[in-house]
Amino acid sequence: MPRITLKDGVLSAELYVQVTRDHTCPCGANFSITLDMPEGVTYNGKINVNNISCPKCGESVVIPEGHHYIENYKLLTK
């Protein structure tokens, strides 16, 4: 079982994996992003991605509401 901690709103883990995700910006631009995420963690809700912006319009990347999980080094949403 992966060991993670949440302290003062910061999620930390002993092991991170690099995952990719195809993303479509509201402006219509399609691009792929790569993130380091804690292994074995699932997320519910939207994910605000720091330090990544749309190459076309410059908007910050926000992954929409959903149940997000990692499978085969891809960040997927149900």
Side-chain angles (χ1 to χ4, degrees):
M1 183 75 164
R3 291 185 59 183
I4 61 169
T5 59
L6 182 62
K7 182 178 180 182
D8 299 327
V10 177
L11 181 68
S12 300
E14 288 183 350
L15 184 61
Y16 287 83
V17 292
Q18 195 169 68
V19 298
T20 59
R21 179 181 176 92
D22 294 328
H23 182 72
T24 302
C25 181
C27 77
N30 294 308
F31 53 97
S32 183
I33 59 176
T34 302
L35 306 164
D36 290 328
M37 302 194 76
E39 183 180 48
V41 173
T42 59
Y43 303 87
N44 289 306
K46 70 179 178 178
I47 301 174
N48 296 308
V49 182
N50 294 332
N51 302 322
I52 299 178
S53 57
C54 174
K56 182 177 176 183
C57 71
E59 274 296 311
S60 296
V61 171
V62 176
I63 299 172
E65 289 279 333
H67 174 78
H68 310 288
Y69 62 100
I70 298 168
E71 186 175 287
N72 295 325
Y73 303 101
K74 293 237 180 229
L75 179 61
L76 304 173
T77 303
K78 283 186 186 179

